[in-house]
Amino acid sequence: AAAQIGIFVAFWGALISGSLGMNFGIEEAASIGIIGGADGPTTIFLSARLAPEILGITAVIAYSYMAAVAFIQPPLMKMFTTEKERQIVMRPIREVSKLEKLIFPNVALIAIILMVPKSAPLIAMFMIGNLFRESGAVPRLTKSASNEILNIATIFLMITVGTQLTAARVFDWQTMVILILGLVAFSCGTIGGILFAKIMNLFLNEKINPLIGSAGVSAVPMAARISHHIGQEANPNNFLLPHAMGPNVAGVIGSAVIAGVFISLVP
């Protein structure tokens, strides 16, 4: 949740920019803000619903920042943590039973859709994918969804986004503002996750490594890998990947929920 703060920073930043002549209304501000979640599909879904005229730009910027995680996050992670904090070793996670893996997507799906009905398309696809994989009952569907269907969807997605992205639109001043807001959002999300982890450590007997807080953005699994890599730089015996995947996946859920909230609130 803390790593989603970047979404709201960019949202309000876009609204302020709109009042200064950038022609951003609440629909465009919501589409720009969701870039801070570093989740390409969610950005495309929200932009298509609220502000299709900037769909191409927001999609490209969201995926660009997802690809640039390895360059953007490490300096911020080192700036806002001490060497001692980065060396914190977390105990190995417990084994999760198959029953728990099957219960989680069902409970999460029902709870989130009841709270934020507009997030249903995003959450349902995410949780159904989990059920496909964890149930083991539909191996052909799991394989197809992970390979053939995914590849076909990616091709059509590229073509669709490309048709929205003209050369004149790329070099527009408004595009530069969206690019900057997206960077600010992504950076604030990274910093927010780290700082909240540090605040939690003030009250926890068993400390957590604040590096995993930066994985709260939705760039799965790259953000978690960066947390693990920076942790191993400070302490070669550190293995943060499974811990970092927790906030990383939670970031996907969080950005989908916020997208549903934006759709619900925008008239």
Side-chain angles (χ1 to χ4, degrees):
Q4 306 308 312
I5 190 173
I7 294 176
F8 298 101
V9 170
F11 173 74
W12 288 107
L15 284 181
I16 294 170
S17 300
S19 65
L20 298 177
M22 281 294 107
N23 200 30
F24 293 142
I26 190 169
E27 294 89 353
E28 289 80 12
S31 299
I32 294 168
I34 207 68
I35 295 173
D39 190 355
T42 304
T43 301
I44 291 172
F45 178 80
L46 188 64
S47 295
R49 291 286 297 269
L50 300 183
E53 68 277 5
I54 61 171
L55 170 60
I57 292 298
T58 54
V60 169
I61 291 175
Y63 277 106
S64 297
Y65 285 137
M66 287 173 67
V69 167
F71 306 103
I72 298 173
Q73 284 198 321
L76 295 172
M77 295 163 75
K78 292 178 180 179
M79 185 183 303
F80 287 91
T81 58
T82 64
E83 184 74 17
K84 184 177 180 180
E85 287 173 331
R86 293 195 293 273
Q87 291 177 352
I88 294 176
V89 177
M90 300 177 67
R91 62 182 173 85
I93 59 173
R94 66 179 180 84
E95 285 293 324
V96 180
S97 69
K98 188 176 183 66
L99 179 61
E100 288 175 297
K101 293 177 182 178
L102 292 174
I103 290 174
F104 170 74
N106 289 286
V107 173
L109 180 66
I110 294 170
I112 293 170
I113 290 178
L114 287 176
M115 289 188 292
V116 190
K118 294 290 186 179
S119 67
L122 290 168
I123 291 296
M125 292 300 99
F126 182 69
M127 296 304 173
I128 287 173
N130 273 271
L131 280 174
F132 277 3
R133 182 179 182 85
E134 298 301 337
S135 68
V138 285
R140 287 195 303 168
L141 282 179
T142 303
K143 181 178 180 296
S144 297
S146 302
N147 295 284
E148 291 85 357
I149 296 175
L150 180 61
N151 292 334
I152 293 170
T154 302
I155 291 171
F156 281 113
L157 182 64
M158 290 189 298
I159 294 172
T160 305
V161 170
T163 60
Q164 302 286 322
L165 199 62
T166 62
R169 193 77 181 89
V170 172
F171 293 100
D172 186 63
W173 171 243
Q174 194 179 60
T175 301
M176 297 298 106
V177 174
I178 296 175
L179 188 69
I180 293 169
L181 287 170
L183 178 60
V184 170
F186 190 76
S187 300
C188 288
T190 300
I191 295 168
I194 293 171
L195 293 182
F196 195 76
K198 295 179 70 165
I199 292 172
M200 289 174 64
N201 276 343
L202 297 176
F203 305 97
L204 295 175
N205 292 325
E206 186 176 347
K207 306 301 181 183
I208 61 174
N209 193 311
L211 290 176
I212 70 171
S214 65
V217 296
S218 306
V220 179
M222 183 56 72
R225 289 175 178 171
I226 296 300
S227 297
H228 172 73
H229 176 69
I230 300 299
Q232 285 211 315
E233 280 186 357
N235 181 355
N237 296 320
N238 229 341
F239 196 79
L240 294 177
L241 187 59
H243 303 284
M245 282 303 298
N248 209 186
V249 173
V252 177
I253 298 173
S255 61
V257 170
I258 293 172
V261 171
F262 279 151
I263 294 172
S264 301
L265 296 180
V266 172

